[in-house]
Amino acid sequence: MMSQSRCWAAILIAVLCCGCRPEAPRGEARLKTTPVKGIVEVDGKPALNVSVKFIADGSSSDIARPALATTNEKGAFAVSTYVAEDGLPDGDYVLTFVWEEAISLNPTKKDQLKGAYSDPKKSKHKVTVIQGTPIDMGVIALSTTGAGK
């Protein structure tokens, strides 16, 4: 009986792993990507755990959902679309930034940037990706007192 349980466990693991392949979501073709990286500084200092979202600007990109990146302790990020740090497909993108409290017992975490960079319609941060041309966005300077200040 024990060996039958192990067999079922192995089948379950195999089935679950099939869903973990680095492919595009169902119905979406996996597009070629180009590496995109940068550094986020807030008030002149590297910022840890800033969520950077790359949203297709109009119809210039065939990506169906935003790509994401999160900054490390040096403020550095590399964009992930399908797998870690694979970059973005060709197109124009608008960036948004949210910096939630790193450690908090409060279930309603607050954006330390006070929402100043979270609206894609108001974003001044954009990037154009051309296949085969890796992009280093350099330092992106943000402020806790709001956008453009």
Side-chain angles (χ1 to χ4, degrees):
M1 199 64 150
M2 186 67 158
S3 62
Q4 186 177 14
S5 296
R6 286 184 186 159
C7 181
W8 281 112
I11 291 171
L12 178 62
I13 290 169
V15 168
L16 291 174
C17 288
C18 289
C20 298
R21 294 177 293 175
E23 295 179 357
R26 291 183 193 259
E28 181 183 331
R30 181 168 177 172
L31 306 168
K32 291 184 179 181
T33 56
T34 298
V36 178
K37 65 180 183 176
I39 296 173
V40 174
E41 289 185 354
V42 177
D43 298 333
K45 297 177 184 172
L48 173 65
N49 289 329
V50 175
S51 296
V52 186
K53 192 180 290 187
F54 291 76
I55 303 162
D57 192 7
S59 61
S60 69
S61 173
D62 291 329
I63 191 170
R65 57 185 164 46
L68 305 171
T70 302
T71 60
N72 64 18
E73 66 280 349
K74 295 179 181 178
F77 67 85
V79 184
S80 302
T81 298
Y82 303 111
V83 296
E85 302 181 5
D86 63 341
L88 290 166
D90 290 357
D92 299 320
Y93 297 87
V94 175
L95 283 68
T96 63
F97 304 87
V98 173
W99 190 24
E100 292 182 340
E101 299 165 334
I103 299 174
S104 174
L105 298 177
N106 183 351
T108 57
K109 294 181 181 180
K110 294 180 182 175
D111 179 4
Q112 296 179 82
L113 299 170
K114 302 174 183 99
Y117 304 94
S118 62
D119 186 347
K121 293 177 183 166
K122 295 179 182 176
S123 180
K124 296 177 182 175
H125 300 279
K126 300 182 182 207
V127 65
T128 297
V129 178
I130 299 170
Q131 185 179 337
T133 307
I135 296 173
D136 184 342
M137 297 186 70
V139 175
I140 299 170
L142 306 178
S143 171
T144 54
T145 59
K149 296 180 181 171

